[in-house]
Amino acid sequence: MNKKKIRITGTFLDEISHDIPHQNWGAKEWSEDFIWMSKADLKRVILIRCGYKNWITYPSEILIKQEKAIRPHWDLVSFFLQCCEKNNFEFYFGLYDSGKYWVNGDYKKEIQLNKKIISEVWHLYGHSKAFKGWYLSQECSHNSGEIIELYHELGSHCKSVSNGLAVLISPYIDGEKNVSQYITNTQKKSSITLDDHFKSWNDIFSGIRSAVDIVAFQDGHVHYDQLYEFIKVNKELADQNKMTSWINSETFDRDMPIKFLPIKWDKLRFKLDTAFKAGIEDAITFEFSHFMSPQSSYLQAGHLYNRYLEYLKE
Amino acid sequence: MNKKKIRITGTFLDEISHDIPHQNWGAKEWSEDFIWMSKADLKRVILIRCGYKNWITYPSEILIKQEKAIRPHWDLVSFFLQCCEKNNFEFYFGLYDSGKYWVNGDYKKEIQLNKKIISEVWHLYGHSKAFKGWYLSQECSHNSGEIIELYHELGSHCKSVSNGLAVLISPYIDGEKNVSQYITNTQKKSSITLDDHFKSWNDIFSGIRSAVDIVAFQDGHVHYDQLYEFIKVNKELADQNKMTSWINSETFDRDMPIKFLPIKWDKLRFKLDTAFKAGIEDAITFEFSHFMSPQSSYLQAGHLYNRYLEYLKE
Amino acid sequence: MNKKKIRITGTFLDEISHDIPHQNWGAKEWSEDFIWMSKADLKRVILIRCGYKNWITYPSEILIKQEKAIRPHWDLVSFFLQCCEKNNFEFYFGLYDSGKYWVNGDYKKEIQLNKKIISEVWHLYGHSKAFKGWYLSQECSHNSGEIIELYHELGSHCKSVSNGLAVLISPYIDGEKNVSQYITNTQKKSSITLDDHFKSWNDIFSGIRSAVDIVAFQDGHVHYDQLYEFIKVNKELADQNKMTSWINSETFDRDMPIKFLPIKWDKLRFKLDTAFKAGIEDAITFEFSHFMSPQSSYLQAGHLYNRYLEYLKE
């Protein structure tokens, strides 16, 4: 029992959500979720983004003034930090995603805006002993636009204001399941080749290695048959660039027309085992509260939690 | 505490549903929902439509004979009226939506059919002291087809059989989120301009003002940045035509690929506050049983209920 | 009370699921589901398929070696058979669906592979007294490809290894609601004519009558107005070919943009009544655990269960 295996040590907190409907939890539900996470041996949370378009997690005067963000009724960042302190969790802060500047090619503006936010956030919350790192929320699958500059500039600024706290990114693979969540297809015809993927990430990693510490690739976009070789390449590239590799093991099911509900346990277990075989020891997941929590609005999540706990005891 | 604010005073009852899966509630669940609604200070319900295509809420001999409607296993209209009487709620009766006649341009047939139904319904249920008004269920966003004639003819007939009971409509705005629920996109490129919207509703209101008393625009189809100015125009137009303005504050989230789950509380609160700023004091919602009720099949709804109750106490 | 009516006597078990998200139930939940089914007078379960692409329900050495299937963490077939024995249920075993060979025209390979699986399965589980029949999981709506040969070859092989146990198929009708679950439309413009449907199934039935015993057409793809005449034709064709007719009365709602949630009770009751009028006495459903079970993740399902139990007592 308790044979060596990969474990889910952390989860994203999907606030502000981009595409998963909010659960409208209050202090009571979030506090209990940290208990459920503790029981499953999680020890870190990553706020996926502090804001998206108009919606923000903390009362950022910068975003309210400059981006017409709507003042939230509650300071979630402050609350999450308290939960982390109480439960000995590490907190990673996810940057703002404008949903427009970088998407429309203006990486400079996305960078400038986020530099101000990084400073604001560190001023407001940097004193918390749970504040352990940063998450660059602009996700990509290959070297496009000025993504290298964005990661490098923002990662460096995070480090410089926070005395070198860890910086995390979570890219995806342009596999056959990399389809928009706004279409109902679950697959497309073509997938990036392993070779092109290697070349693209070789370039990115060498351009950002001084500014980014951890890379946690998402594991849901490629066919199960191809997963091992892609994770293996990612791990090797990260090793060469002295970056730490985690896996972001998605707990929702990309194979179903309904977007998105909890994943079948056999699929999650296969993905975790595959990452372990490729030499990765730490998994985080997107994400616990909707897809694994016993108090999720999706009741399948609680059953997934039970299956995962059985696996931990194996 | 209890500062002046807009309140949700009523809800649609989404029976027969057009696009939201039914919950299959029986007498027990519906009775309890009226208790939950009372606790949140709601005081009126609006049956969104008494029938849609083959499916009807009460055993209408007209619809069963002429429209091949399928006899329901239960007279929901009678039951809802009893619930209203017991809990001091007002009941608004929604007309039949053929899903074909007016949609395919035959407004005359939609009007003729509904005139018969209005008479049948008043004969069957007009004696109930809870029967307080009518809802014209044919929704539109601008002056198209013979929508003015339909509203005018049906509103007038409702009033003439019922000694002038109130008549309600709930139009929508042809904004960027006015996309079919049968596609997964959540936005389209173009939105109606404020000016074109004004002109269209100026025409409609002047054509229906003697037959319609209350207009409750849906608030979910325009970008949050534009909501205030559209509501403001709607309110001014209604004032000029001596119609009462409510807001139909949708409690489901139009920004998500999954259609439709409960809305994030911050979004609902922003929409309510925005309507209040524009001078509106009464909100109804689409709709309580799926998206706000503690006994909803969507558990996010119960959390939204709790957030809303906290807001009432602020 | 208890007037003569059609009853749901069985259900598919949707493992491995093709398009409905898994619930991640363990032994506890499945055991309880057999109790819930018993209380509603069900007496048979049909494993819809023993595997689909990489995912399988039992540790099939054939599928693991030849098809890169992933070893399941649990032998569900063995477990389901135990549940059936304990609760006096009949078990029908559904064949493997490659999701590729027959779909891409290679019916021969789909047949060869499944013949091996049939032998493997009978060797492993044929001793169970609950093992009462087979289900040919390759569904079709008309005579296309080599579907007759596939049904004939596989049905015959099932019978020959198992001393003639019953063989079941569950085709669908190419009606206006026969649309991909990977698009959000719920209807298409054209439907097969009753005449073309008759001709196609006349050919199929005469080609497979010695190898297939029971046909349970799915009842969800045609407009409610047309359902009776299609079921009637299906029943007559089956009678002529000395096959038993059941109806596969779907308990999810094909009319809604969200795919797939439990059906409105009035619709299910109408479909059951319609099949009964056409002379059918046995219904099975797709499927109980997601769409009718009181412990389903979709809470609408439990309410549907209650409505169905009320109907049984009428």
Side-chain angles (χ1 to χ4, degrees), chain C residues 130-148:
Chain C
F131 201 128
K132 293 294 188 190
W134 303 87
Y135 174 64
L136 309 184
S137 65
Q138 287 77 9
E139 299 172 2
C140 72
S141 66
H142 59 284
N143 186 5
S144 62
E146 298 159 37
I147 196 71
I148 293 180

Side-chain angles (χ1 to χ4, degrees), chain A residues 256-276:
Chain A
M256 299 291 154
I258 191 170
K259 301 191 175 182
F260 300 99
L261 293 188
I263 199 169
K264 176 180 168 66
W265 161 239
D266 270 332
K267 292 181 180 174
L268 176 58
R269 202 189 51 155
F270 172 78
K271 296 193 299 175
L272 291 171
D273 287 348
T274 301
F276 189 64

Side-chain angles (χ1 to χ4, degrees), chain C residues 8 79 109 135 156 195 267 302:
Chain C
I8 298 172
F79 179 78
K109 182 138 191 190
Y135 174 64
S156 301
D195 204 43
K267 292 181 180 175

Side-chain angles (χ1 to χ4, degrees), chain A residues 253-311:
Chain A
D253 201 323
R254 285 191 184 269
D255 303 331
M256 299 291 154
I258 191 170
K259 301 191 175 182
F260 300 99
L261 293 188
I263 199 169
K264 176 180 168 66
W265 161 239
D266 270 332
K267 292 181 180 174
L268 176 58
R269 202 189 51 155
F270 172 78
K271 296 193 299 175
L272 291 171
D273 287 348
T274 301
F276 189 64
K277 264 202 311 181
I280 294 181
E281 293 187 5
D282 247 320
I284 55 176
T285 187
F286 181 90
E287 43 85 288
F288 187 88
S289 75
H290 285 93
F291 306 124
M292 279 193 83
S293 169
Q295 56 179 354
S296 167
S297 297
Y298 304 139
L299 300 182
Q300 303 94 333
H303 298 301
L304 182 59
Y305 182 87
N306 291 334
R307 298 295 82 75
Y308 178 69
L309 256 55
E310 290 165 4
Y311 158 88

Side-chain angles (χ1 to χ4, degrees), chain C residues 1 3 6 20 36 43 84-85 91 112 118 128 132 188 212 236 240 254 264 269 272 290 310:
Chain C
M1 68 212 74
K3 66 174 183 194
I6 200 170
I20 316 284
W36 288 116
K43 59 184 185 189
C84 286
E85 290 169 11
F91 181 83
Q112 282 163 4
I118 292 164
S128 168
K132 293 294 188 190
K188 56 179 184 175
V212 174
E236 285 167 3
Q240 283 165 26
R254 285 190 184 270
K264 178 180 166 66
R269 201 187 54 155
L272 291 171
H290 286 92
E310 290 165 4

